[in-house]
Amino acid sequence: MMNVYMIVTNDKFRLPLYWGDSIAELAKHAHMTYEAVERGIRRSMYGKRQNSKYEVVHISEDDGNG
C-alpha cells in the first residue's frame, strides 16, 4: 500500500494544493517544517480536527486490473 499526503483547499471541493509520497516531501513542497505537517496529518488521521487541510489517501498496490 502507498500513501499520498496532501494539503487541500478548505472548501467543499477539497482540491489538492500540495502533495507528496511522504510527509517530508509534502513539507518541502509546501515550504513548511516537517513537524508542522506531521502534526497536522496526525490530527487529521485521528479525528482530532474537523475540516482539516491535511488529507492522506491510501492507494492499494492491487489496482484491480488483473
Side-chain angles (χ1 to χ4, degrees):
M1 183 179 325
M2 179 178 148
N3 293 330
V4 176
Y5 300 90
M6 298 186 297
I7 295 176
V8 298
T9 59
N10 198 16
D11 58 13
K12 68 179 182 178
F13 301 109
R14 316 272 306 151
L15 300 172
L17 298 171
Y18 304 101
W19 59 88
D21 292 336
S22 67
I23 294 173
E25 185 177 347
L26 175 59
K28 182 178 177 182
H29 290 305
H31 306 285
M32 298 174 67
T33 65
Y34 177 89
E35 291 79 11
V37 174
E38 181 186 36
R39 184 174 39 251
I41 292 288
R42 190 172 47 246
R43 287 180 178 175
S44 173
M45 288 178 66
Y46 297 112
K48 293 184 179 180
R49 182 121 195 256
Q50 298 295 329
N51 300 323
S52 175
K53 68 179 182 177
Y54 298 96
E55 293 279 338
V56 180
V57 177
H58 307 286
I59 300 173
S60 174
E61 297 286 330
D62 176 27
D63 62 3
N65 289 332

